[in-house]
Amino acid sequence: MVYLSSTRYEDAYQRIVDGSAHSTGTSILIFASIDVDAICGLRLLTTLLKRDSIGHKIIPVNNYSDITQMNATLIESNLQIRTLVFLNCAAQVDIQDLVNLRDGLSVVIVDSHRPFNLYNVFWNEQVHCLDDGDVEKNMGELRNAFEDIEFSNDTDDESSDDEAGHKRGSDSDGEGKKRRKTGMDPDEFIRLQEQRAKKRELRQYHQSLVQAYYAQGSYYGQSCAVSMLMLAEQMGMPLSADLVWWAIVGATSQYLLHQIDETGYALVVTRMRDLSRRVSLNSPSIPLPAARDKTTEARRSVNYSSSSQALLDSQLGYPTDTAFTPYLDIVEEEDDEGYLKARAGVSTAAEAGLLTSSKIAAQSADIAESSELQFSLLRH
């Protein structure tokens, strides 16, 4: 088995740790797509790597040629590289077509793009794909079909035919000499032909299953950032508001870009709401910076856990127009031209709330703001 279920993500990280133990330099290359979800997942992963003092190098990926170029210039010539991690890239192609999988090199794929390439999921023990439940629950028959196509050998049937013919034709009487011309007796020949016909039908059925799997078109699975948050939990890392926030942003980007539907997003909301409340209960109370003239003295010091909860809850996209209004009067919209332009371009309450909550956060943290993506990322 070369895919890892959601309860075994820690096995992939253990590979990373084992690889770093056998390397004297940078042992990990992280290939990260330049989409929002991958960047959030990258932030979570690097936090975990820094905690464990594991050296790594980050390579942004625009297309597959970036991966093949790095394979030729960096991976093949550097035996210190022990692990390759792919974030939101490489799941849909056979990784062996992009990277030379030499001995001692492991690959971990964390990708929300579907469908998986079956060679990544069922073929090479050096490749581990993080599964969100799709493979384990829905692809049992497909796995049998893939293994039948790749591992069964028709030459065994042909050799068995030859052996049977040789045994039947070894009789010393005249009837045996006659059978030696045809290879075997008629009854045995008919039985073997029927057996081979059934195998051919089964092979054609399995081929149709694989073709239908690839023909279903592209779709998206679990957010890369959410997968990385689950990995952090399994590795015993204490969750903070920052870590949960990055997972929320990654999952919400999928929803805003119409990569997942409302049903899929609702599952994420339930999970993130529980985590955010747990984190908020453990957060200390700290004062917010003094707001401008319009802010009253009563708002100069608020409970950090409650403000974090409001920020996290706003990201979860409650379906009310007032869900994002607890601190709207703190925001000085007329003083921020970039914010006004971005605010004018939103079309849904979720997008408006994402802008508002990010704007509030800008008053208590250093912010790198992007009007193109219509939300802000915390700079750490």
Side-chain angles (χ1 to χ4, degrees):
M1 182 176 63
V2 291
Y3 69 90
L4 295 175
S5 63
S6 58
T7 59
R8 297 182 57 229
Y9 286 175
E10 58 187 303
D11 291 353
Y13 191 77
Q14 190 59 49
R15 279 204 171 194
I16 295 175
V17 174
D18 293 342
S20 65
H22 293 86
S23 176
T24 58
T26 299
S27 61
I28 304 170
L29 291 183
I30 304 175
F31 294 86
S33 178
I34 55 175
D35 61 81
V36 174
D37 184 31
I39 294 172
C40 293
L42 176 65
R43 182 66 178 86
L44 285 157
L45 177 59
T46 53
T47 300
L48 196 56
L49 294 174
K50 290 177 181 178
R51 183 200 69 169
D52 296 331
S53 301
I54 298 177
H56 56 276
K57 181 180 178 66
I58 301 171
I59 301 173
V61 174
N62 285 305
N63 48 55
Y64 292 131
S65 63
D66 293 338
I67 300 176
T68 56
Q69 181 180 1
M70 287 296 102
N71 177 62
T73 59
L74 188 58
I75 299 173
E76 290 183 343
S77 60
N78 189 352
L79 297 181
Q80 296 297 324
I81 301 298
R82 310 289 298 196
T83 309
L84 307 179
V85 180
F86 294 90
L87 301 181
N88 270 2
C89 56
Q92 294 182 302
V93 297
D94 185 358
I95 194 62
Q96 297 175 95
D97 293 337
L98 304 177
V99 177
N100 178 26
L101 296 182
R102 52 175 167 78
D103 292 340
L105 183 66
S106 298
V107 173
V108 177
I109 299 176
V110 189
D111 195 349
S112 62
H113 296 88
R114 302 290 185 273
F116 280 120
N117 188 288
L118 296 180
Y119 284 96
N120 293 336
V121 179
F122 299 129
W123 182 264
N124 197 313
E125 292 293 338
Q126 291 178 261
V127 181
H128 276 182
C129 291
L130 268 59
D131 174 36
D132 57 1
D134 189 30
V135 176
E136 191 168 43
K137 295 179 181 179
N138 305 321
M139 293 173 61
E141 187 178 17
L142 187 63
R143 178 179 184 174
N144 294 333
F146 176 80
E147 292 177 348
D148 175 65
I149 294 171
E150 294 298 328
F151 299 119
S152 65
N153 192 351
D154 288 340
T155 58
D156 294 341
D157 296 333
E158 295 175 0
S159 62
S160 63
D161 291 350
D162 295 340
E163 291 176 2
H166 177 72
K167 292 178 181 178
R168 291 292 182 178
S170 62
D171 299 336
S172 58
D173 56 4
E175 184 179 0
K177 293 180 180 178
K178 182 177 180 181
R179 288 174 182 172
R180 193 159 36 238
K181 295 179 182 179
T182 60
M184 65 183 70
D185 63 49
D187 293 338
E188 183 71 9
F189 178 78
I190 293 174
R191 186 186 69 79
L192 290 176
Q193 288 301 314
E194 290 177 348
Q195 183 179 6
R196 295 184 66 182
K198 291 180 180 179
K199 288 186 176 181
R200 282 194 298 268
E201 291 177 0
L202 182 60
R203 171 68 65 87
Q204 292 173 356
Y205 172 69
H206 286 165
Q207 289 174 340
S208 67
L209 285 179
V210 173
Q211 292 172 356
Y213 171 71
Y214 286 124
Q216 64 182 318
S218 297
Y219 61 100
Y220 289 84
Q222 179 173 271
S223 159
C224 172
V226 172
S227 296
M228 289 295 92
L229 182 66
M230 295 173 65
L231 171 62
E233 282 189 283
Q234 292 181 23
M235 296 309 300
M237 186 170 187
L239 295 184
S240 64
D242 287 341
L243 297 181
V244 177
W245 173 257
W246 281 100
I248 290 172
V249 172
T252 302
S253 70
Q254 284 190 311
Y255 179 65
L256 295 179
L257 294 173
H258 306 289
Q259 296 173 353
I260 58 175
D261 58 16
E262 293 182 358
T263 302
Y265 187 60
L267 297 175
V268 180
V269 166
T270 302
R271 170 67 172 157
M272 292 298 105
R273 181 185 291 117
D274 293 340
L275 287 177
S276 66
R277 288 174 178 168
R278 188 174 69 185
V279 169
S280 298
L281 290 175
N282 297 328
S283 298
S285 297
I286 61 174
L288 284 177
R292 301 176 191 178
D293 296 338
K294 293 183 180 180
T295 305
T296 63
E297 189 66 24
R299 268 192 214 99
R300 290 176 183 265
S301 179
V302 299
N303 184 276
Y304 178 74
S305 62
S306 62
S307 62
S308 297
Q309 181 63 48
L311 222 119
L312 292 170
D313 284 351
S314 69
Q315 179 65 17
L316 296 177
Y318 292 106
T320 61
D321 294 336
T322 60
F324 306 105
T325 58
Y327 304 103
L328 286 182
D329 52 349
I330 299 179
V331 179
E332 303 291 346
E333 297 184 4
E334 64 274 11
D335 296 333
D336 192 335
E337 182 179 357
Y339 172 78
L340 289 174
K341 288 181 179 179
R343 183 67 177 82
V346 302
S347 58
T348 65
E351 292 175 354
L354 195 54
L355 271 174
T356 300
S357 59
S358 298
K359 183 69 176 178
I360 296 169
Q363 300 185 22
S364 60
D366 188 15
I367 295 295
E369 194 165 308
S370 171
S371 59
E372 295 179 356
L373 295 177
Q374 295 188 354
F375 68 91
S376 303
L377 298 179
L378 296 176
R379 183 192 296 125
H380 294 278

